[in-house]
């Protein structure tokens, strides 16, 4: 067996094109390169000069909540007080900018300008409403546009045609941040835009954007700021997580930010990010943890029911039922991983229309697949999203036919991405020097997967259940030299193998290396 040396590991990882021309913040594309930003900045500045009331409409996921936090923080930094941030409630308002929301807010009466963040590219009816009521509308979004676009004064979306922005796969919060940077330039304001980077970084992780190029640099800078800033929410994260890393945030705070909008109201997550008081931030964090436990319970119940009523095609799995609409997306993701097919979970609310979510698997581009199927036969009432995740509505009686059509319209982009197995390593080389080499290439995530290794000269000394519900395994290993190593295998009940596939992490609480074992 030929083991990789540490120098070989560094050489292999160095071949990944992570920078994509962006080695630091100084290399970021300028605001004017994002189509619509200069025009939107001029429109916003004009409305501020007129002392207009501005309505900012966000979204209820981690990206939308962080984008909304950026907008609030920026207008506060400008010293402009005549604005309001509204996060639609999933259950009473539905998704994003809608006539229902605008009518509830009596928008024509109270506002002169509406700005969306992380939504709006599918808001056709709302666009008509704004035009009819003389409401100026700026849409900022990153979801894939359909062939037609909603009526608005300015559309900012890197995926729209003729947009020369060099990076198409950025989150909604990044688009909002660039809009604010454009407004800063237009107003000649002295504002440090880096203070909002933690929100952009969290949103980038939350929407699983490719961690290369602009996204990689922003997340790296966001992590640095989160480790030192006095912002109450960041202090809570340091207190609760111990370590601020891309992996730690993805598996801890991102689910908490998402769960508020899933089972209650996204405003709770928004308040956590924007509160100026540490005691209040701690209280909201505890509330988010409670909501997340509720989400987990609902998710487990829904997952079981969805599996019991699952329909499978060659490419997809899908289920319909009277599910809690707030957990269908995450149940979708679980089904996709379990059945290794793209999945749809739709909630039947008894009016003949089902609505829900889809999650991609194995390189399927869901939004392009839906668009192609809709061109063949327009059965969808509403749909939107991006490559990996979509939302849709359809008459229940049309679902089976649509799934047949969709199966013939599958569009693929890339092969599915999993942990990157670099090769075999000797137990002798599993040490802090190896870990330091791996750290050079963080943050790991989409398009920059965490390196994985195989080791065949470790001896398992002991294993025991761990975790609140004893659902994980703690493993103790011995190397030929007698050196002891510690490992964890998540969601495992037993071990039976000779070779160990693992990703190397560092347990900063116990101050020792940890082998995160792959099943």
């Amino acid at each position: 067996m030929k083991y990789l040396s540490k120098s070989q590991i560094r050489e292999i990882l160095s071949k990944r094109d992570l920078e994509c021309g962006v080695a630091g913040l100084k290399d970021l594309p300028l605001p004017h390169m994002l189509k619509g930003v200069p025009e939107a900045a001029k429109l916003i500045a004009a409305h501020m000069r007129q002392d207009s009331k501005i309505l900012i409409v966000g979204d209820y996921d981690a990206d939308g909540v962080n984008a909304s936090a950026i907008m609030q923080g920026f207008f506060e930094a400008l010293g402009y007080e005549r604005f309001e941030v509204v996060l639609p409630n999933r259950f009473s308002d539905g998704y994003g900018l809608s006539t229902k929301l605008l009518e509830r807010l009596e928008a024509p009466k109270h506002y002169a300008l509406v700005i969306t963040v992380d939504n709006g590219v599918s808001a056709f009816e709302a666009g008509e409403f704004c035009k009819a009521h003389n409401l100026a509308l700026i849409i900022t979004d990153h979801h894939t546009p359909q062939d037609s676009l909603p009526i608005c004064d300015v559309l900012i979306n890197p995926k729209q045609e003729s947009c020369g922005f060099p990076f198409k796969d950025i989150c909604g919060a990044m688009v909002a941040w660039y809009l604010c940077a454009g407004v800063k330039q237009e107003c000649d304001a002295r504002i440090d835009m880096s203070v909002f980077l933690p929100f952009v970084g969290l949103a980038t992780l939350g929407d699983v954007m490719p961690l290369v190029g602009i996204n990689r640099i922003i997340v790296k800078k966001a992590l640095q700021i989160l480790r030192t800033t006095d912002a109450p929410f960041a202090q809570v994260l340091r207190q609760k997580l111990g370590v601020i890393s891309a992996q730690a945030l993805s598996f801890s705070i991102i689910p908490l930010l998402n769960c508020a909008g899933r089972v209650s109201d996204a405003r709770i997550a928004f308040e956590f990010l924007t509160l100026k008081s540490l005691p209040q931030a701690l209280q909201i964090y505890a509330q988010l943890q409670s909501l997340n436990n509720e989400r987990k319970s609902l998710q487990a119940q829904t997952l079981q029911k969805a599996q019991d009523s699952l329909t499978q095609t060659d490419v997809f799995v899908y289920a319909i039922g009277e599910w809690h609409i707030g957990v269908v997306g995450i149940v979708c993701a679980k089904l996709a991983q379990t059945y290794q097919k793209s999945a749809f979970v739709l909630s039947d609310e008894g009016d003949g229309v089902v609505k829900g979510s889809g999650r991609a698997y194995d390189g399927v581009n869901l939004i392009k697949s839906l668009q192609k199927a809709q061109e063949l036969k327009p059965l969808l009432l509403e749909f939107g999203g991006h490559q990996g995740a979509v939302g849709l509505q359809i008459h229940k009686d049309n679902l089976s036919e649509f799934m047949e059509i969709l199966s013939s319209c599958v569009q693929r982009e890339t092969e599915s991405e999993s942990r990157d197995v670099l090769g075999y390593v000797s137990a002798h080389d599993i040490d802090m020097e190896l870990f330091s080499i791996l750290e050079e290439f963080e943050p790991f995530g989409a398009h920059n997967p965490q390196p994985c290794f195989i080791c065949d000269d470790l001896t398992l000394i002991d294993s025991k259940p761990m975790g609140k519900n004893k659902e994980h395994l703690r493993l103790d290993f011995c190397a030929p030299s007698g050196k002891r190593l510690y490992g964890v295998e998540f969601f495992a009940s037993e071990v039976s193998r000779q070779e160990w596939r693992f990703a190397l992490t560092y347990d900063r609480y116990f101050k020792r290396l940890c082998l995160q074992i792959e099943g």
Side-chain angles (χ1 to χ4, degrees):
M1 179 63 60
K2 187 175 181 180
Y3 294 120
L4 290 172
S5 68
K6 291 171 183 173
S7 60
Q8 287 175 317
I9 291 170
R10 177 183 274 114
E11 182 181 355
I12 292 170
L13 292 176
S14 296
K15 292 179 180 178
R16 294 180 176 181
D17 184 14
L18 301 181
E19 292 187 355
C20 299
V22 182
L25 293 179
K26 62 180 176 55
D27 301 316
L28 293 181
L30 297 174
H32 73 268
M33 298 178 69
L34 187 54
K35 183 180 178 181
V37 164
E39 295 81 3
K42 290 181 185 301
L43 182 58
I44 292 169
H47 274 275
M48 288 194 297
R49 286 193 294 269
Q50 297 166 14
D51 202 31
S52 299
K53 184 78 177 289
I54 299 172
L55 172 64
I56 298 161
V57 179
D59 187 19
Y60 38 61
D61 68 354
D63 188 6
V65 169
N66 277 283
S68 301
I70 291 169
M71 297 299 286
Q72 173 159 303
F74 178 74
F75 277 109
E76 287 177 345
L78 272 180
Y80 192 76
E81 298 180 352
R82 288 183 53 74
F83 75 96
E84 183 177 359
V85 176
V86 171
L87 294 166
N89 182 283
R90 182 190 297 264
F91 311 103
S92 59
D93 296 318
Y95 170 75
L97 184 69
S98 64
T99 54
K100 184 178 182 181
L101 176 68
L102 292 170
E103 287 171 348
R104 176 175 72 79
L105 297 172
E106 297 183 305
K109 178 181 177 181
H110 298 294
Y111 308 99
L113 171 63
V114 179
I115 305 172
T116 73
V117 289
D118 191 35
N119 75 92
V121 77
S122 299
F124 295 97
E125 290 185 7
E128 294 280 3
F129 180 94
C130 289
K131 181 181 179 182
H133 291 84
N134 200 31
L135 266 174
L137 174 60
I138 296 171
I139 291 175
T140 80
D141 204 345
H142 72 123
H143 297 99
T144 304
Q146 299 179 35
D147 290 337
S148 58
L149 297 172
I151 293 173
C152 60
D153 292 85
V154 186
L155 172 66
I156 305 172
N157 186 327
K159 292 177 181 173
Q160 65 180 310
E161 287 187 13
S162 71
C163 180
F165 197 75
F167 298 96
K168 302 298 183 183
D169 290 324
I170 59 175
C171 64
M174 181 89 76
V175 180
W177 185 75
Y178 262 95
L179 170 61
C180 292
V183 175
K184 171 192 171 180
Q185 289 183 343
E186 180 65 26
C187 296
D188 195 25
R190 293 182 177 275
I191 296 174
D192 180 5
M193 295 301 296
S194 70
V195 301
F196 308 116
L197 289 182
F199 301 127
V200 185
L202 286 171
T204 298
L205 295 173
D207 252 25
V208 199
M209 293 291 104
L211 290 186
V212 296
I214 185 174
N215 292 325
R216 179 171 183 264
I217 291 302
I218 291 295
V219 171
K220 285 188 73 171
K221 184 62 177 178
L223 294 174
Q224 293 171 8
I225 296 172
L226 284 169
R227 290 168 186 148
T228 58
T229 179
D230 290 333
F233 84 93
Q235 292 185 60
V236 173
L237 294 184
R238 293 197 296 269
Q239 184 182 131
K240 299 296 183 180
L241 305 185
V243 57
I244 300 297
S245 68
Q247 288 79 16
L249 295 173
S250 295
F251 289 103
S252 56
I253 188 57
I254 298 302
L256 296 189
L257 296 178
N258 279 322
C259 77
R262 291 187 188 279
V263 300
S264 182
D265 196 304
R267 192 84 196 178
I268 301 169
F270 175 76
E271 288 177 356
F272 171 69
L273 294 174
T274 57
L275 281 171
K276 303 297 191 292
S277 160
L278 178 58
Q280 286 181 316
L282 284 165
Q283 288 179 356
I284 297 292
Y285 184 86
Q287 187 177 356
L288 290 173
Q289 286 184 309
S290 178
L291 289 173
N292 199 40
N293 289 333
E294 182 182 344
R295 187 270 303 170
K296 288 178 180 178
S297 177
L298 285 168
Q299 174 188 319
Q301 296 169 24
T302 305
L303 179 60
Q304 183 59 58
K305 291 176 181 177
Q307 288 175 316
D308 291 342
S309 62
L310 204 66
T311 300
Q312 293 200 52
T313 71
D314 291 341
V315 185
F316 302 106
V317 296
Y318 65 94
I320 313 171
E322 296 178 2
W323 325 126
H324 188 289
I325 192 65
V327 298
V328 295
I330 197 163
V331 169
C332 231
K334 293 286 185 183
L335 291 177
Q337 290 300 317
T338 300
Y339 294 93
Q340 298 185 2
K341 294 179 179 180
S342 296
F344 295 88
V345 178
L346 300 130
S347 177
D348 183 354
E349 299 183 353
D351 57 358
V353 174
V354 293
K355 61 181 179 179
S357 299
R359 293 294 184 270
Y361 188 83
D362 195 28
V364 170
N365 186 317
L366 276 186
I367 190 64
K368 286 187 177 180
S369 301
L370 290 182
Q371 287 172 340
K372 187 175 180 182
Q374 187 77 341
E375 288 172 6
L376 289 178
K377 192 167 184 178
L379 295 174
L380 292 176
L381 301 175
E382 291 183 17
F383 72 99
H386 44 74
Q387 175 177 335
V390 294
L392 67 158
Q393 288 191 33
I394 188 171
H395 284 294
K396 184 178 179 181
D397 293 342
N398 292 335
L399 182 60
S400 179
E401 179 184 3
F402 183 76
M403 284 299 172
E404 279 189 36
I405 296 171
L406 187 61
S407 294
S408 67
C409 297
V410 174
Q411 304 289 297
R412 296 183 186 275
E413 294 293 325
T414 59
E415 292 301 314
S416 59
E417 188 178 74
S418 57
R419 288 261 174 95
D420 191 358
V421 180
L422 297 193
Y424 283 80
V425 296
S426 168
H428 172 75
D429 286 325
I430 302 175
D431 55 17
M432 282 303 298
E433 182 184 1
L434 175 59
F435 179 72
S436 296
I437 291 171
L438 301 181
E439 275 193 311
E440 295 173 20
F441 301 92
E442 289 186 335
F444 296 120
H447 292 209
N448 182 32
Q450 187 172 18
C452 199
F453 305 96
I454 300 174
C455 188
D456 63 355
D457 59 346
L458 280 173
T459 302
L460 181 65
I461 303 299
D462 190 24
S463 66
K464 60 183 66 175
M466 61 175 285
K468 183 178 179 181
N469 299 311
K470 305 299 182 185
E471 69 268 45
H472 313 305
L473 277 179
R474 169 190 161 140
L475 307 170
D476 289 306
F477 297 102
C478 184
S481 64
K483 178 175 66 174
R484 302 290 289 269
L485 289 165
Y486 162 70
V488 171
E489 184 169 5
F490 294 105
F491 303 104
S493 56
E494 58 183 19
V495 291
S496 57
R497 73 197 80 173
Q498 299 300 316
E499 293 185 332
W500 299 93
R501 175 174 157 166
F502 69 92
L504 189 61
T505 61
Y506 186 73
D507 188 328
R508 284 174 168 80
Y509 183 79
F510 290 105
K511 292 183 171 48
R512 58 186 172 183
L513 289 171
C514 175
L515 281 62
Q516 188 171 312
I517 304 297
E518 299 279 315

